Amino acid sequence: MTLLLWLGVFVIIAGGAYLLVLQQRGTLPGSKPKKELPSLKRNIFNLQIGDIVQYMGIDWVVEGKLTYKDGEYSWLEYMLQDNNDIRWLSVDEDDTVEVALLEATNQLDISETPPPKKLTFGDENYKCVDSGVASMSREGTVQRRTASRCQYFDYEGSADKVLSIEVWDGETEVTVGNRINPRSLTILPGDGNRVYGL
């Protein structure tokens, strides 16, 4: 009698464990498949929509991502948003990893095509260090950057200052900012959803 009792307890425990495994796999009859969560291993090269990038006490939400390609060379730009403030986080890996935080400005009038090799913005002198034509793929919100290709002109100033000019279907966009140390960024994985809507 005791043997039958122990055998019954064993069958109940084994059956419960089996059902639990089926439920976790999403294969239990009547259960919904388990939704795959985004990877939690984030770095500046694999940020996803909805992730948080903390920098200088501000929590920036990744609202969009552009991947640029010029031949074999590629780089990333993430559109970051904090309420109404928007910045672009540029991530470039050539010989070294270069990260810059840029803000769009309409204070520099560029009427020449191509833009000059040297220019002045604010009190800073900039020199063009790279240019070309890139194609891109996009995710999420990228504002007016919706053409399939753009001309780009990258400038450097002193003390890690950078300026970028991009021409999209005849429309010129200027962004200006600074190179930053990627270690100064704290990345918190999000849920894959945009925060600021349109």
Side-chain angles (χ1 to χ4, degrees):
M1 185 73 170
T2 306
L3 180 62
L4 285 176
L5 183 63
W6 280 111
L7 188 58
V9 169
F10 176 76
V11 168
I12 291 171
I13 290 173
Y18 178 71
L19 291 174
L20 182 63
V21 169
L22 287 180
Q23 182 183 22
Q24 287 177 340
R25 289 184 183 168
T27 56
L28 186 65
S31 69
K32 294 181 182 176
K34 194 173 181 182
K35 185 180 175 186
E36 220 27 67
L37 293 174
S39 168
L40 298 180
K41 295 179 181 176
R42 292 287 203 278
N43 59 53
I44 55 174
F45 297 103
N46 68 358
L47 291 174
Q48 303 293 316
I49 306 301
D51 287 352
I52 306 296
V53 178
Q54 294 178 328
Y55 180 67
M56 302 288 285
I58 298 176
D59 290 350
W60 297 97
V61 180
V62 177
E63 289 286 304
K65 174 182 177 181
L66 278 170
T67 304
Y68 293 76
K69 285 194 134 201
D70 184 355
E72 296 298 311
Y73 178 58
S74 66
W75 68 99
L76 302 166
E77 284 193 11
Y78 300 98
M79 193 186 103
L80 307 181
Q81 189 165 352
D82 174 51
N83 293 318
N84 293 324
D85 291 333
I86 292 175
R87 299 290 186 278
W88 292 93
L89 183 70
S90 174
V91 179
D92 183 3
E93 184 176 24
D94 198 356
D95 294 332
T96 61
V97 175
E98 292 186 1
V99 177
L101 191 64
L102 302 121
E103 180 179 12
T105 180
N106 57 11
Q107 302 300 309
L108 182 63
D109 182 27
I110 300 294
S111 52
E112 299 177 44
T113 303
K117 294 287 185 191
K118 293 182 179 179
L119 53 82
T120 301
F121 177 73
D123 295 330
E124 188 68 34
N125 295 317
Y126 292 89
K127 179 176 76 171
C128 186
V129 293
D130 195 13
S131 63
V133 176
S135 61
M136 69 278 309
S137 58
R138 59 189 54 79
E139 297 174 43
T141 300
V142 292
Q143 293 191 314
R144 297 172 301 188
R145 299 180 180 193
T146 56
S148 59
R149 298 172 70 78
C150 80
Q151 285 183 284
Y152 66 90
F153 306 87
D154 293 333
Y155 292 77
E156 289 182 353
S158 63
D160 290 327
K161 290 185 170 54
V162 290
L163 185 144
S164 176
I165 299 172
E166 294 180 355
V167 182
W168 300 75
D169 280 345
E171 187 174 334
T172 301
E173 181 177 351
V174 179
T175 53
V176 63
N178 293 281
R179 283 196 190 93
I180 60 175
N181 186 334
R183 290 188 184 94
S184 65
L185 303 173
T186 300
I187 298 169
L188 304 174
D191 60 2
N193 295 312
R194 291 166 48 215
V195 173
Y196 291 102
L198 301 177

